[in-house]
Amino acid sequence: MELAKITMRGQITIPVEIRKKLGVKDGDKVVFLEENGRIIMGNAAMVALREAQAAFVGEAERMGLKTEQDVVDMVKEVRREVWDERHARND
């Protein structure tokens, strides 16, 4: 168990071992989440990444992407459409 003291301004220093476990360093942001009456602190970037991953669950299947080559082909198609759109405006 690690302890931290709260200053008069409501600030704390996160102990080194906790920072290592969270994977945070100077300038990183942490997030506080409430789950089942408990407050959980986490690495804000990792929490955002997990939420984004969860939001995309099933999207590849919905779009018919079954292989890595399907993804590569889709990226090429989107790039081609963007290229055509940008150059069509310049004509």
Side-chain angles (χ1 to χ4, degrees), residues 27-59:
D28 288 349
K29 294 185 179 189
V30 295
V31 64
F32 296 90
L33 305 166
E34 184 176 356
E35 289 183 6
N36 300 322
R38 300 180 107 178
I39 303 299
I40 299 168
M41 181 174 63
N43 180 326
M46 295 306 295
V47 170
L49 178 60
R50 282 194 296 274
E51 288 178 0
Q53 287 173 325
F56 282 105
V57 168
E59 285 302 304

Side-chain angles (χ1 to χ4, degrees), residues 13-77:
T13 298
I14 302 169
V16 171
E17 289 304 313
I18 301 300
R19 291 194 312 261
K20 286 179 184 177
K21 289 178 182 181
L22 288 172
V24 296
K25 59 187 182 323
D26 184 43
D28 288 349
K29 294 185 179 189
V30 295
V31 64
F32 296 90
L33 305 166
E34 184 176 356
E35 289 183 6
N36 300 322
R38 300 180 107 178
I39 303 299
I40 299 168
M41 181 174 63
N43 180 326
M46 295 306 295
V47 170
L49 178 60
R50 282 194 296 274
E51 288 178 0
Q53 287 173 325
F56 282 105
V57 168
E59 285 302 304
E61 186 176 311
R62 184 186 66 77
M63 296 177 72
L65 304 172
K66 295 183 172 98
T67 66
E68 186 175 333
Q69 187 60 49
D70 290 341
V71 175
V72 170
D73 292 344
M74 182 191 70
V75 168
K76 286 180 180 177
E77 180 181 337

